[in-house]
Amino acid sequence: HYHGTRIACSDDQCARILKGRHAFVSFADPSQLSIVEEVCQSWALDNGAYSFFNSGKKVDWDDFYKFVEEVRSPSMDFFIIPDVIGGTEDQNNELIRQNPLQGGVPVYHLHESLNRLEFLADNFPMIAFGKMVGVEHNTEEFWIRMHQALNTICDEQGRPIIRIHGLKCLNPDIFTKVPFTSADSTMVGRNLDDNTTRW
């Protein structure tokens, strides 16, 4: 379980929350990375595309890859290869081709073709499942497509042939039913009560 940052609290409280856990740091706001590196078991780097998309801010992905090289360490498990939110398969395939580094995980958006999913599964040891455009997680349409995707990349026993990371998929109604290797969520940060001491 990777817990998304930035968590809106003091540095001390952030350290208490994340101690011994796994963190998902966004390139859009890596301000708590030093805390993550100090207290977490491991961490992964999100490209921040969704945050940049929502803010309307343009990003130079060369800067992202420079950042990956600067912060890469044995405790960093993987990074998410840049993707275009709501983009075409050609646009996202081109961003994959432009990736100059090892250890990157491509995003498969669930509305994309199953042929693209097969291609990614043939070429990468791990894939991140991203959101369907216009469809919320844990809806009937989501589950129909999720079953189609899993049928594409699982063997006859229902075991995935590659590792799967679920983007924003730490809802127990989802991760308990899908054979994810890992998943992330910002729910800890969103639900944080400044007066809590249980962390």
Side-chain angles (χ1 to χ4, degrees):
H1 297 186
Y2 288 86
H3 299 281
T5 64
R6 180 177 197 277
I7 300 174
C9 61
S10 69
D11 288 353
D12 287 345
Q13 191 171 20
C14 178
R16 288 198 301 273
I17 292 168
L18 293 176
K19 185 175 182 180
R21 297 178 181 229
H22 306 273
F24 204 54
V25 177
S26 174
F27 177 59
D29 184 356
S31 58
Q32 293 176 330
L33 178 56
S34 61
I35 299 171
V36 166
E37 291 176 315
E38 182 177 346
V39 305
C40 289
Q41 290 187 52
S42 71
W43 62 283
L45 180 65
D46 182 37
N47 61 42
Y50 190 74
S51 296
F52 290 126
F53 173 78
N54 284 337
S55 68
K57 181 179 179 181
K58 292 185 178 180
V59 58
D60 184 339
W61 293 122
D62 287 339
D63 292 338
F64 170 74
Y65 287 119
K66 290 176 185 175
F67 183 77
V68 173
E69 290 188 298
E70 289 172 2
V71 302
R72 179 174 258 171
S73 69
S75 64
M76 190 182 87
D77 293 329
F78 60 87
F79 66 88
I80 301 295
I81 295 172
D83 61 313
V84 181
I85 306 302
T88 65
E89 293 186 13
D90 286 342
Q91 287 176 310
N92 285 313
N93 289 339
E94 180 59 28
L95 284 177
I96 290 174
R97 283 191 288 270
Q98 292 174 7
N99 170 28
L101 304 177
Q102 296 294 317
V105 173
V107 178
Y108 171 72
H109 305 92
L110 284 168
H111 62 272
E112 294 174 334
S113 71
L114 297 177
N115 286 337
R116 181 169 193 263
L117 177 58
E118 287 183 312
F119 169 79
L120 294 177
D122 287 341
N123 288 277
F124 291 89
M126 186 174 188
I127 298 172
F129 274 15
K131 192 176 185 297
M132 291 178 70
V133 170
V135 176
E136 293 301 316
H137 279 359
N138 206 28
T139 60
E140 181 179 2
E141 189 173 353
F142 167 86
W143 281 113
I144 290 172
R145 189 57 173 174
M146 179 64 79
H147 282 292
Q148 293 171 341
L150 292 174
N151 285 339
T152 301
I153 59 169
C154 289
D155 64 19
E156 293 179 356
Q157 283 74 45
R159 298 172 300 198
I161 60 174
I162 43 86
R163 291 178 292 151
I164 309 169
H165 178 83
L167 294 167
K168 297 181 173 61
C169 283
L170 275 185
N171 180 338
D173 290 337
I174 298 175
F175 78 75
T176 59
K177 297 178 176 66
V178 179
F180 290 132
T181 302
S182 57
D184 69 81
S185 172
T186 57
M187 288 184 66
V188 167
R190 290 202 309 269
N191 295 336
L192 182 65
D193 179 345
D194 287 338
N195 295 318
T196 187
T197 58
R198 67 189 183 91
W199 298 106

